[in-house]
Amino acid sequence: MAALTRYLRNPAALLGAVLLLLVVAVALAAPVLFPKDPLGLAGRPLQWPFVNPKVWLGTDASGRDIAAQIFHGARVSLLIGLVATAIAIAIGIAVGAVAGFYGGLIDDLLMRVTEAFQTLPNFLLLLVLVAVFGSDITTVTVAIGLVSWPAPARLTRAEFLTLRNREFVQACRVLGMGDARIIAREILPNALPPVIVYASVVMAVAILLESALAFLNLSDPNVASWGNLIGAGRGVLRTQWYVSAIPGVAILVTVLAVSLVGQGLNDALNPRLRGPAPVKAAS
Amino acid sequence: MTILLLALRRLAASLPTLLVILAGLFLLLQLAPGDTVDALMAQMGGGDPATAEELRRYYGLDLPAAAQLARYLWRLVQLDLGQSAIYGKPVATVIAERLPVTLLLMGASLTLAFAGGMVLGVVAARRIGQWPDTLISTLGLMFYATPSFWFGLMGIVLFAIHLGWLPAGGFEEVGAGYTGLTRVLDIARHLVLPTLTLALVFLATYLRIMRASMLEVMSLDYVRTARAKGLGETGVIVRHALRNALLPMVTLVGLQAGTMLGGSVVVESVFALPGLGRLAYESVVQRDLNTLLGIVFVSALLVITVNFLVDLIYGRLDPRIAAGR
């Protein structure tokens, strides 16, 4: 309750929450306001925004409605962000918990693999994964999750290292609890809050990674994605720059909202620590 | 000298990591549908299966995966990255041609991001809660949340198309035949927009870290001592606070080396720069797996090198480390 009050008193956090609700509302409204295929023809190509009320954000070079693509793109971005983050956090918690709890050889081994992933540039690894497994939307989402787990893993490991020899854990051992139960039921709930807060950073980066991939034409072309639209607008940048400009603003607002909410949560939950350190991925 | 030994030991410790990376990637690439020869045949407009078989034998693609991996690693030890199927040259040569552009772009961006982040971070920390702090922090958040390729495109629209101040892409004026200083200036002009594009995102991160670190250091006792002995505000900041506040910034450079390389893939594509990132993109599109693997190998080496340098700088900034703590 105290945390909620603290959150609501923080203007930046409040702004983030409002923006995020706005993006979610846009995503939910997409099929209602634009029931037709957002990638279908809507009219004459390259109409400027606010000229034709039927396509109020204008049309792109192939005559597709930009507003429809923005609305449906919100669904895609949020969905990819959420699922990829869930995958990354799940792997990160599993690896970090086992490494931190057991230590020794297992820890060494797992940290070597984590280090290998961190030494490789995220985006290059993503390119390799897409080159190997193709670029439909499921593959792209899983691939983004697969390149994003090392940071949550390190965070979880650090939490487990400080918690594993606390008295309550020793008490559980004395009571004869199994390792799996101690990890999942006793330590994990205590280690979770910073990892959950960090999830906002992972999600922001995941959305940026997908948009960069889509911009390079390496994501799913059959989905209305903001990155795809920016990439499509590149060809007419010289005169019809609005085609690329509009979806960029949409990405900016979404990533900003997610970051602000994450920061607000962090400030509300750990009032003494300020802001999760952003670990920026390629975009 | 202790610091050099320490750094060298860390360097040696990254060798197994490198091996894990290479083995993992190689095995991953085995799962790829279609191989170099398929891509080659498609480029030639098809061909008969006998030719394909012969090409596969030539590239060693008919061997089992384990044998191919062993062969690949053995050649890597001899610093032979294999032959690029698309460019018809050794991969090492192709990469060496492209590497300087990327290093130049990364070096310029890193310098700009570090210097800009440092100055803005100090200003924000000095004026905490006042309008300069709010403005700088807000700008930082916006930079952080913006996709860099979009920044690049909007930069092209504004500075290249509407104002006509800067070129929209390319590394230099092709065919102009510039030499000496004219050529250097020409390249610099071409690199302004890409450098800004790549740097802004990182500047945002450095600025936040610098601000937080500066706030922490300024509250410490020795800063109060420096003030008490009558040192001016500038003297306190430059001579006493900055050096210690820089430590987390330097760590971040090492952590973000790989990220910056990844970012250059996108930025080089936006500005048609003939660098390593663009090469990576081309090899993905054309399924030139040898080249892709070579780029990943070189990138990993680059990240490890940057971390080695960061270790050395760290030792200079924080003598406690050099004292073998």
Side-chain angles (χ1 to χ4, degrees), chain A residues 9-97:
Chain A
R9 264 203 225 119
N10 181 346
L14 209 55
L15 176 69
V18 170
L19 287 180
L20 192 59
L21 284 178
L22 182 79
V23 178
V24 171
V26 162
L28 291 177
V32 182
L33 292 179
F34 303 95
K36 281 188 275 181
D37 180 8
L39 296 180
L41 278 184
R44 199 163 45 79
L46 296 176
Q47 302 183 50
W48 276 76
F50 313 121
V51 176
N52 182 349
K54 265 169 74 186
V55 285
W56 55 283
L57 279 180
T59 53
D60 66 10
S62 345
R64 301 176 299 189
D65 186 355
I66 291 181
Q69 292 186 63
I70 294 291
F71 272 68
H72 283 270
R75 293 174 86 81
V76 173
S77 279
L78 286 181
L79 199 68
I80 287 181
L82 282 175
V83 176
T85 305
I87 293 172
I89 295 288
I91 301 176
I93 286 180
V95 171

Coordinates of all heavy atoms in Angstrom, one line a residue, chain A residues 9-97:
Chain A
R9 N 2.7 9.2 -6.2 CA 3.2 10.5 -5.9 C 4.4 10.9 -6.9 O 4.8 12.1 -6.9 CB 3.7 10.6 -4.5 CG 2.6 11.1 -3.6 CD 3.2 11.7 -2.3 NE 2.5 11.3 -1.2 CZ 2.9 10.6 -0.2 NH1 4.2 10.2 -0.2 NH2 2.2 10.2 0.8
N10 N 4.9 9.9 -7.6 CA 6.0 10.2 -8.5 C 5.5 10.6 -9.9 O 4.9 9.8 -10.6 CB 6.9 8.9 -8.6 CG 8.1 9.1 -9.5 OD1 8.2 10.1 -10.2 ND2 9.0 8.2 -9.4
P11 N 5.7 11.9 -10.3 CA 5.0 12.3 -11.6 C 5.5 11.6 -12.8 O 4.7 11.2 -13.7 CB 5.4 13.8 -11.6 CG 6.5 14.0 -10.6 CD 6.4 13.0 -9.6
A12 N 6.8 11.3 -12.8 CA 7.4 10.5 -14.0 C 6.7 9.2 -14.1 O 6.3 8.7 -15.2 CB 8.9 10.4 -13.9
A13 N 6.6 8.5 -12.9 CA 6.0 7.1 -12.9 C 4.6 7.2 -13.3 O 4.1 6.3 -14.1 CB 6.1 6.5 -11.5
L14 N 3.9 8.2 -12.9 CA 2.4 8.4 -13.2 C 2.3 8.6 -14.8 O 1.4 8.0 -15.4 CB 1.9 9.6 -12.5 CG 0.4 9.5 -12.2 CD1 0.1 8.3 -11.4 CD2 0.0 10.8 -11.4
L15 N 3.2 9.4 -15.3 CA 3.1 9.7 -16.8 C 3.4 8.4 -17.5 O 2.7 8.1 -18.5 CB 4.2 10.7 -17.1 CG 4.4 11.0 -18.6 CD1 3.2 11.7 -19.2 CD2 5.7 11.8 -18.9
G16 N 4.3 7.6 -17.0 CA 4.6 6.3 -17.6 C 3.4 5.4 -17.6 O 3.1 4.8 -18.7
A17 N 2.7 5.3 -16.5 CA 1.5 4.5 -16.4 C 0.5 4.9 -17.3 O -0.2 4.1 -18.0 CB 1.0 4.5 -14.9
V18 N 0.2 6.3 -17.4 CA -0.8 6.8 -18.3 C -0.4 6.4 -19.8 O -1.3 5.9 -20.6 CB -0.9 8.3 -18.2 CG1 -1.8 8.9 -19.3 CG2 -1.5 8.6 -16.8
L19 N 0.8 6.6 -20.2 CA 1.3 6.3 -21.6 C 1.1 4.9 -21.9 O 0.6 4.5 -22.9 CB 2.7 6.7 -21.8 CG 3.0 8.2 -21.9 CD1 4.5 8.5 -22.1 CD2 2.2 8.8 -23.0
L20 N 1.5 4.0 -20.9 CA 1.4 2.6 -21.1 C -0.1 2.2 -21.3 O -0.4 1.4 -22.2 CB 2.0 1.8 -19.9 CG 2.2 0.3 -20.2 CD1 3.2 0.1 -21.4 CD2 2.8 -0.3 -19.0
L21 N -1.0 2.7 -20.4 CA -2.4 2.4 -20.6 C -2.9 2.9 -22.0 O -3.7 2.2 -22.6 CB -3.2 3.1 -19.5 CG -3.1 2.5 -18.1 CD1 -3.9 3.3 -17.1 CD2 -3.6 1.1 -18.1
L22 N -2.4 4.0 -22.4 CA -2.8 4.5 -23.7 C -2.4 3.5 -24.8 O -3.2 3.1 -25.7 CB -2.1 5.8 -24.0 CG -2.4 6.5 -25.3 CD1 -3.8 7.2 -25.2 CD2 -1.3 7.5 -25.7
V23 N -1.1 3.0 -24.8 CA -0.7 2.0 -25.8 C -1.5 0.8 -25.7 O -1.9 0.2 -26.7 CB 0.8 1.7 -25.6 CG1 1.3 0.7 -26.6 CG2 1.7 3.0 -25.7
V24 N -1.8 0.3 -24.5 CA -2.6 -0.9 -24.3 C -4.0 -0.7 -24.9 O -4.5 -1.5 -25.6 CB -2.7 -1.3 -22.8 CG1 -3.7 -2.4 -22.6 CG2 -1.3 -1.7 -22.3
A25 N -4.6 0.5 -24.6 CA -5.9 0.8 -25.2 C -5.9 0.8 -26.7 O -6.8 0.3 -27.4 CB -6.3 2.2 -24.7
V26 N -4.8 1.4 -27.3 CA -4.7 1.4 -28.7 C -4.6 0.0 -29.3 O -5.3 -0.4 -30.2 CB -3.4 2.2 -29.1 CG1 -3.0 1.8 -30.5 CG2 -3.6 3.7 -29.0
A27 N -3.8 -0.9 -28.6 CA -3.7 -2.3 -29.0 C -5.1 -3.0 -28.9 O -5.4 -3.7 -29.8 CB -2.7 -3.0 -28.1
L28 N -5.8 -2.7 -27.9 CA -7.1 -3.4 -27.7 C -8.1 -2.9 -28.7 O -9.0 -3.6 -29.2 CB -7.6 -3.2 -26.3 CG -6.9 -3.9 -25.2 CD1 -7.4 -3.5 -23.8 CD2 -6.9 -5.4 -25.4
A29 N -8.0 -1.6 -29.1 CA -9.0 -1.0 -30.0 C -8.8 -1.4 -31.4 O -9.7 -1.2 -32.3 CB -9.0 0.5 -29.8
A30 N -7.6 -1.9 -31.7 CA -7.2 -2.1 -33.1 C -8.2 -2.9 -33.9 O -8.7 -2.5 -35.0 CB -5.8 -2.7 -33.2
P31 N -8.6 -4.1 -33.4 CA -9.6 -4.9 -34.2 C -10.9 -4.3 -34.3 O -11.7 -4.6 -35.2 CB -9.6 -6.3 -33.5 CG -9.1 -6.0 -32.1 CD -8.2 -4.8 -32.2
V32 N -11.3 -3.4 -33.3 CA -12.6 -2.8 -33.3 C -12.6 -1.6 -34.4 O -13.5 -1.5 -35.2 CB -13.0 -2.2 -31.9 CG1 -14.4 -1.6 -32.0 CG2 -12.9 -3.4 -30.9
L33 N -11.6 -0.7 -34.3 CA -11.6 0.4 -35.2 C -11.1 0.1 -36.6 O -11.6 0.7 -37.5 CB -10.6 1.5 -34.6 CG -11.1 2.1 -33.3 CD1 -10.0 3.1 -32.8 CD2 -12.4 2.9 -33.5
F34 N -10.3 -0.9 -36.7 CA -9.7 -1.3 -38.0 C -9.9 -2.8 -38.2 O -8.9 -3.5 -38.1 CB -8.3 -0.9 -38.2 CG -8.0 0.6 -37.9 CD1 -7.6 1.0 -36.7 CD2 -8.2 1.5 -39.0 CE1 -7.4 2.4 -36.5 CE2 -7.9 2.8 -38.8 CZ -7.6 3.3 -37.5
P35 N -11.2 -3.2 -38.4 CA -11.4 -4.7 -38.5 C -10.8 -5.3 -39.8 O -10.6 -6.5 -39.8 CB -13.0 -4.7 -38.6 CG -13.4 -3.4 -39.0 CD -12.4 -2.4 -38.6
K36 N -10.5 -4.5 -40.8 CA -9.9 -5.0 -42.0 C -8.4 -5.3 -41.9 O -7.8 -4.8 -40.9 CB -10.2 -4.1 -43.2 CG -11.6 -4.2 -43.8 CD -11.8 -3.5 -45.0 CE -12.1 -2.0 -44.8 NZ -12.3 -1.2 -46.0
D37 N -7.9 -6.1 -42.8 CA -6.4 -6.4 -42.7 C -5.7 -5.1 -42.8 O -5.8 -4.3 -43.8 CB -6.1 -7.3 -43.9 CG -4.6 -7.6 -44.0 OD1 -3.9 -7.3 -43.0 OD2 -4.2 -8.2 -45.0
P38 N -4.8 -4.8 -41.8 CA -4.1 -3.5 -41.9 C -3.1 -3.4 -43.0 O -2.6 -2.4 -43.4 CB -3.3 -3.5 -40.5 CG -3.3 -4.9 -40.1 CD -4.5 -5.5 -40.6
L39 N -2.8 -4.6 -43.6 CA -1.8 -4.6 -44.7 C -2.5 -4.6 -46.1 O -1.9 -4.8 -47.1 CB -0.9 -5.8 -44.6 CG 0.0 -5.8 -43.4 CD1 0.9 -7.0 -43.4 CD2 0.9 -4.6 -43.4
G40 N -3.9 -4.4 -46.0 CA -4.6 -4.4 -47.3 C -4.7 -3.0 -47.9 O -4.3 -2.0 -47.2
L41 N -5.1 -2.9 -49.1 CA -5.2 -1.6 -49.8 C -6.3 -0.7 -49.1 O -7.3 -1.2 -48.8 CB -5.5 -1.8 -51.3 CG -4.3 -2.1 -52.1 CD1 -4.7 -2.1 -53.6 CD2 -3.2 -1.1 -52.0
A42 N -6.0 0.6 -48.9 CA -6.9 1.5 -48.3 C -7.3 2.6 -49.2 O -8.2 3.3 -49.0 CB -6.4 1.9 -47.0
G43 N -6.5 2.9 -50.2 CA -6.7 4.0 -51.0 C -5.5 4.4 -51.9 O -4.6 3.6 -52.0
R44 N -5.6 5.6 -52.4 CA -4.5 6.1 -53.2 C -3.2 6.1 -52.4 O -3.2 6.5 -51.2 CB -4.8 7.5 -53.7 CG -4.0 8.0 -54.9 CD -4.8 9.3 -55.5 NE -5.2 10.2 -54.4 CZ -4.4 11.1 -53.8 NH1 -3.1 11.1 -54.2 NH2 -4.9 11.9 -52.9
P45 N -2.0 5.7 -52.9 CA -0.8 5.7 -52.1 C -0.3 7.1 -51.8 O -0.6 8.1 -52.5 CB 0.2 4.9 -53.0 CG -0.4 4.9 -54.4 CD -1.8 5.1 -54.2
L46 N 0.5 7.2 -50.8 CA 1.2 8.5 -50.4 C 0.3 9.7 -50.2 O 0.5 10.8 -50.7 CB 2.3 8.8 -51.4 CG 3.4 7.7 -51.5 CD1 4.4 8.0 -52.6 CD2 4.1 7.6 -50.1
Q47 N -0.8 9.5 -49.5 CA -1.6 10.6 -49.1 C -1.1 11.1 -47.7 O -0.9 10.4 -46.8 CB -3.1 10.2 -48.9 CG -3.7 9.6 -50.1 CD -5.2 9.3 -49.8 OE1 -6.0 10.1 -49.4 NE2 -5.6 8.0 -50.2
W48 N -0.9 12.4 -47.6 CA -0.4 13.0 -46.4 C -1.4 12.9 -45.3 O -2.6 12.8 -45.5 CB 0.0 14.5 -46.6 CG 1.3 14.6 -47.2 CD1 1.7 14.4 -48.5 CD2 2.5 15.0 -46.5 NE1 3.0 14.6 -48.7 CE2 3.6 15.0 -47.5 CE3 2.8 15.3 -45.2 CZ2 4.9 15.3 -47.2 CZ3 4.2 15.6 -44.9 CH2 5.2 15.6 -45.9
P49 N -0.9 12.9 -44.0 CA -1.8 12.8 -42.9 C -2.7 14.0 -42.8 O -2.3 15.1 -43.3 CB -0.9 12.8 -41.7 CG 0.5 12.4 -42.2 CD 0.5 12.9 -43.6
F50 N -3.8 13.9 -42.2 CA -4.8 15.0 -41.9 C -5.3 15.6 -43.2 O -5.7 16.8 -43.2 CB -4.2 16.1 -41.0 CG -3.5 15.5 -39.8 CD1 -2.1 15.7 -39.6 CD2 -4.2 14.7 -38.9 CE1 -1.5 15.2 -38.5 CE2 -3.5 14.1 -37.8 CZ -2.2 14.4 -37.6
V51 N -5.3 14.9 -44.3 CA -5.8 15.4 -45.5 C -7.2 14.7 -45.8 O -8.2 15.3 -46.0 CB -4.9 15.3 -46.7 CG1 -5.5 15.7 -48.0 CG2 -3.6 16.0 -46.4
N52 N -7.1 13.4 -45.8 CA -8.3 12.6 -46.1 C -8.8 12.0 -44.8 O -8.1 11.2 -44.1 CB -7.9 11.5 -47.1 CG -9.0 10.6 -47.5 OD1 -10.1 10.7 -46.9 ND2 -8.8 9.7 -48.5
P53 N -10.0 12.4 -44.3 CA -10.5 11.9 -43.0 C -10.6 10.4 -43.0 O -10.7 9.8 -41.9 CB -11.8 12.6 -42.9 CG -12.2 13.1 -44.2 CD -10.9 13.3 -45.0
K54 N -10.7 9.7 -44.1 CA -10.9 8.3 -44.1 C -9.6 7.6 -43.7 O -9.6 6.5 -43.1 CB -11.4 7.8 -45.5 CG -12.9 7.6 -45.5 CD -13.4 7.4 -46.9 CE -13.1 6.0 -47.4 NZ -13.5 5.9 -48.8
V55 N -8.5 8.1 -44.1 CA -7.2 7.6 -43.7 C -6.4 8.8 -43.0 O -5.6 9.4 -43.6 CB -6.4 7.0 -44.9 CG1 -6.9 5.7 -45.3 CG2 -6.4 7.9 -46.1
W56 N -6.8 9.1 -41.8 CA -6.4 10.3 -41.2 C -4.9 10.4 -40.9 O -4.4 11.5 -40.8 CB -7.2 10.6 -39.9 CG -7.1 9.5 -38.9 CD1 -7.8 8.3 -38.9 CD2 -6.3 9.5 -37.7 NE1 -7.5 7.6 -37.9 CE2 -6.6 8.2 -37.1 CE3 -5.4 10.3 -37.1 CZ2 -5.9 7.9 -35.9 CZ3 -4.8 10.0 -36.0 CH2 -5.1 8.7 -35.4
L57 N -4.2 9.3 -40.9 CA -2.7 9.4 -40.8 C -2.0 9.2 -42.1 O -0.8 9.0 -42.2 CB -2.2 8.3 -39.7 CG -2.3 8.7 -38.3 CD1 -1.7 7.7 -37.4 CD2 -1.6 10.1 -38.0
G58 N -2.9 9.2 -43.2 CA -2.3 9.0 -44.5 C -2.1 7.6 -44.9 O -2.5 6.6 -44.2
T59 N -1.5 7.4 -46.1 CA -1.2 6.1 -46.6 C 0.3 6.0 -47.0 O 0.9 7.0 -47.2 CB -2.0 5.8 -47.9 OG1 -1.8 6.8 -48.8 CG2 -3.5 5.6 -47.6
D60 N 0.8 4.7 -47.0 CA 2.2 4.5 -47.4 C 2.3 4.3 -48.9 O 1.4 4.5 -49.6 CB 2.8 3.4 -46.6 CG 2.2 2.0 -46.9 OD1 1.4 2.0 -47.9 OD2 2.5 1.1 -46.2
A61 N 3.5 4.0 -49.3 CA 3.8 3.9 -50.7 C 3.0 2.9 -51.4 O 2.8 2.9 -52.7 CB 5.3 3.6 -50.9
S62 N 2.5 1.8 -50.7 CA 1.6 0.8 -51.4 C 0.1 1.1 -51.2 O -0.7 0.2 -51.4 CB 2.0 -0.6 -50.9 OG 3.2 -0.6 -50.2
G63 N -0.2 2.3 -50.6 CA -1.6 2.6 -50.4 C -2.2 1.9 -49.2 O -3.5 1.8 -49.1
R64 N -1.4 1.6 -48.2 CA -2.0 0.9 -47.0 C -2.2 2.0 -45.9 O -1.4 3.0 -45.9 CB -1.0 -0.1 -46.5 CG -0.8 -1.2 -47.5 CD 0.2 -2.2 -47.0 NE 1.5 -1.6 -46.8 CZ 2.6 -2.4 -46.5 NH1 2.5 -3.7 -46.5 NH2 3.7 -1.8 -46.3
D65 N -3.3 1.8 -45.1 CA -3.6 2.8 -44.1 C -2.6 2.8 -43.0 O -2.3 1.8 -42.4 CB -5.0 2.5 -43.6 CG -5.5 3.5 -42.6 OD1 -4.8 4.5 -42.3 OD2 -6.7 3.4 -42.2
I66 N -1.9 4.0 -42.8 CA -0.9 4.1 -41.8 C -1.5 4.0 -40.4 O -1.0 3.3 -39.5 CB -0.1 5.4 -41.9 CG1 0.7 5.4 -43.2 CG2 0.8 5.6 -40.7 CD1 1.6 6.6 -43.4
A67 N -2.7 4.6 -40.1 CA -3.3 4.5 -38.8 C -3.6 3.1 -38.4 O -3.3 2.6 -37.3 CB -4.6 5.3 -38.8
A68 N -4.1 2.3 -39.4 CA -4.4 0.9 -39.1 C -3.2 0.1 -38.8 O -3.1 -0.7 -37.9 CB -5.1 0.2 -40.3
Q69 N -2.1 0.4 -39.5 CA -0.8 -0.3 -39.2 C -0.2 0.1 -37.8 O 0.3 -0.7 -37.1 CB 0.2 0.1 -40.3 CG -0.1 -0.5 -41.6 CD 1.0 -0.3 -42.6 OE1 2.1 -0.8 -42.5 NE2 0.7 0.4 -43.7
I70 N -0.4 1.4 -37.4 CA 0.0 1.9 -36.1 C -0.8 1.1 -35.0 O -0.2 0.6 -34.1 CB -0.2 3.4 -36.0 CG1 0.7 4.1 -36.9 CG2 0.1 3.8 -34.5 CD1 2.2 4.1 -36.6
F71 N -2.1 1.1 -35.2 CA -2.9 0.4 -34.2 C -2.6 -1.1 -34.0 O -2.4 -1.6 -33.0 CB -4.4 0.6 -34.5 CG -5.0 1.9 -33.9 CD1 -4.5 3.1 -34.3 CD2 -5.9 1.9 -32.8 CE1 -5.0 4.3 -33.8 CE2 -6.4 3.1 -32.3 CZ -5.9 4.3 -32.8
H72 N -2.6 -1.8 -35.2 CA -2.3 -3.2 -35.1 C -0.8 -3.4 -34.7 O -0.5 -4.4 -34.1 CB -2.6 -3.8 -36.5 CG -4.0 -4.1 -36.7 ND1 -4.7 -5.2 -36.3 CD2 -5.0 -3.3 -37.2 CE1 -5.9 -5.1 -36.6 NE2 -6.2 -4.0 -37.2
G73 N 0.1 -2.5 -35.1 CA 1.5 -2.6 -34.7 C 1.7 -2.6 -33.2 O 2.6 -3.2 -32.6
A74 N 0.8 -1.8 -32.5 CA 0.8 -1.8 -31.0 C 0.7 -3.2 -30.4 O 1.3 -3.6 -29.5 CB -0.2 -0.8 -30.5
R75 N -0.3 -3.9 -31.0 CA -0.5 -5.3 -30.6 C 0.7 -6.1 -30.7 O 1.2 -6.8 -29.8 CB -1.6 -6.0 -31.4 CG -3.0 -5.4 -31.2 CD -3.9 -6.1 -32.3 NE -4.5 -7.4 -31.8 CZ -5.5 -7.4 -31.0 NH1 -6.1 -6.3 -30.6 NH2 -6.0 -8.6 -30.6
V76 N 1.3 -6.0 -31.9 CA 2.5 -6.8 -32.2 C 3.7 -6.5 -31.3 O 4.3 -7.3 -30.7 CB 3.0 -6.6 -33.7 CG1 4.3 -7.3 -34.0 CG2 1.9 -7.1 -34.6
S77 N 3.9 -5.2 -31.1 CA 5.0 -4.7 -30.3 C 4.9 -5.2 -28.8 O 5.8 -5.7 -28.2 CB 5.2 -3.2 -30.3 OG 5.9 -2.8 -31.5
L78 N 3.7 -5.0 -28.3 CA 3.4 -5.4 -26.9 C 3.5 -6.9 -26.7 O 4.1 -7.4 -25.8 CB 2.0 -4.9 -26.4 CG 1.9 -3.4 -26.2 CD1 0.5 -3.0 -25.7 CD2 2.9 -2.9 -25.1
L79 N 2.9 -7.6 -27.7 CA 3.0 -9.1 -27.6 C 4.4 -9.6 -27.6 O 4.8 -10.4 -26.8 CB 2.1 -9.7 -28.7 CG 1.7 -11.1 -28.5 CD1 0.7 -11.1 -27.3 CD2 1.1 -11.7 -29.7
I80 N 5.2 -9.1 -28.6 CA 6.6 -9.6 -28.8 C 7.3 -9.2 -27.5 O 8.1 -10.0 -26.9 CB 7.2 -8.9 -30.0 CG1 6.7 -9.6 -31.3 CG2 8.7 -9.1 -30.0 CD1 7.3 -9.1 -32.5
G81 N 7.1 -7.9 -27.0 CA 7.8 -7.5 -25.8 C 7.5 -8.4 -24.6 O 8.4 -8.9 -23.9
L82 N 6.2 -8.7 -24.4 CA 5.8 -9.5 -23.2 C 6.3 -10.9 -23.3 O 6.9 -11.4 -22.4 CB 4.3 -9.5 -23.1 CG 3.6 -8.2 -22.5 CD1 2.1 -8.3 -22.6 CD2 4.1 -8.1 -21.1
V83 N 6.1 -11.5 -24.5 CA 6.5 -12.9 -24.6 C 8.0 -13.1 -24.5 O 8.6 -13.9 -23.8 CB 6.0 -13.6 -25.9 CG1 6.4 -15.0 -26.1 CG2 4.4 -13.5 -25.9
A84 N 8.8 -12.2 -25.3 CA 10.2 -12.3 -25.3 C 10.8 -12.1 -23.9 O 11.7 -12.8 -23.4 CB 10.8 -11.3 -26.3
T85 N 10.2 -11.1 -23.2 CA 10.6 -10.8 -21.8 C 10.3 -12.0 -20.9 O 11.2 -12.4 -20.1 CB 9.9 -9.6 -21.2 OG1 10.1 -8.5 -22.1 CG2 10.4 -9.2 -19.9
A86 N 9.1 -12.6 -21.0 CA 8.8 -13.8 -20.2 C 9.9 -14.9 -20.4 O 10.4 -15.5 -19.5 CB 7.4 -14.3 -20.6
I87 N 10.2 -15.2 -21.7 CA 11.2 -16.2 -22.0 C 12.5 -15.8 -21.4 O 13.2 -16.7 -20.7 CB 11.3 -16.3 -23.6 CG1 10.1 -16.9 -24.2 CG2 12.5 -17.2 -23.9 CD1 10.0 -16.9 -25.7
A88 N 13.0 -14.6 -21.6 CA 14.3 -14.2 -21.1 C 14.4 -14.3 -19.6 O 15.3 -14.8 -19.0 CB 14.6 -12.8 -21.5
I89 N 13.3 -13.8 -18.9 CA 13.3 -13.8 -17.4 C 13.3 -15.3 -16.9 O 13.9 -15.7 -16.0 CB 12.1 -13.0 -16.9 CG1 12.2 -11.6 -17.3 CG2 12.0 -13.2 -15.4 CD1 13.3 -10.8 -16.5
A90 N 12.5 -16.1 -17.6 CA 12.4 -17.5 -17.2 C 13.7 -18.2 -17.3 O 14.2 -18.9 -16.3 CB 11.3 -18.3 -18.0
I91 N 14.4 -18.1 -18.4 CA 15.7 -18.7 -18.6 C 16.7 -18.1 -17.6 O 17.4 -18.8 -16.9 CB 16.3 -18.5 -20.0 CG1 15.3 -19.1 -21.0 CG2 17.7 -19.1 -20.1 CD1 15.8 -18.9 -22.5
G92 N 16.6 -16.8 -17.4 CA 17.6 -16.1 -16.5 C 17.4 -16.5 -15.1 O 18.4 -16.8 -14.4
I93 N 16.1 -16.7 -14.7 CA 15.9 -17.1 -13.3 C 16.4 -18.5 -13.1 O 17.1 -18.8 -12.1 CB 14.4 -17.0 -12.9 CG1 14.1 -15.5 -12.7 CG2 14.1 -17.8 -11.7 CD1 12.6 -15.3 -12.4
A94 N 16.1 -19.4 -14.1 CA 16.5 -20.8 -13.9 C 18.0 -20.9 -13.8 O 18.6 -21.5 -12.9 CB 16.0 -21.6 -15.1
V95 N 18.7 -20.3 -14.8 CA 20.2 -20.3 -14.8 C 20.8 -19.7 -13.5 O 21.6 -20.2 -12.9 CB 20.8 -19.7 -16.1 CG1 22.3 -19.6 -16.0 CG2 20.4 -20.5 -17.3
G96 N 20.3 -18.5 -13.3 CA 20.9 -17.7 -12.1 C 20.6 -18.4 -10.8 O 21.5 -18.4 -9.9
A97 N 19.4 -19.0 -10.6 CA 19.1 -19.7 -9.4 C 20.0 -20.9 -9.1 O 20.5 -21.0 -8.1 CB 17.6 -20.1 -9.4

